[in-house]
Amino acid sequence: ADTATAFVLGLSCPNCALNVALQLHDFPGVELGDLDMGRGALPLRFTAHPHPSEADIAAAVRRAGYTFVALKTP
């Protein structure tokens, strides 16, 4: 899929999403959508192939200091 949603614990403000975005910046073609803080949902759009794996995204979230829960695709 070219879109997915990362579910992350601890995303309580736009700066939290920015911290995660800085870690995801290492992966070409990953764009972030609008954070849903209530659900801890961070929409992702992939514009390059291959897409980063769920493990790669989880590691980036952890490096940013947050807890990765799941990556859901439509």
Side-chain angles (χ1 to χ4, degrees):
D2 289 330
T3 61
T5 302
F7 289 91
V8 180
L9 293 178
L11 295 180
S12 58
C13 68
N15 283 336
C16 298
L18 177 61
N19 289 334
V20 174
L22 290 172
Q23 293 300 318
L24 291 172
H25 183 71
D26 291 341
F27 303 113
V30 176
E31 298 175 359
L32 276 66
D34 293 331
L35 167 65
D36 179 340
M37 288 184 283
R39 294 176 42 222
L42 185 59
L44 304 174
R45 185 169 156 250
F46 305 112
T47 60
H49 291 280
H51 303 155
S53 69
E54 183 171 349
D56 292 335
I57 292 170
V61 168
R62 282 191 216 86
R63 281 193 306 271
Y66 301 94
T67 302
F68 177 81
V69 176
L71 184 70
K72 305 243 176 166
T73 55

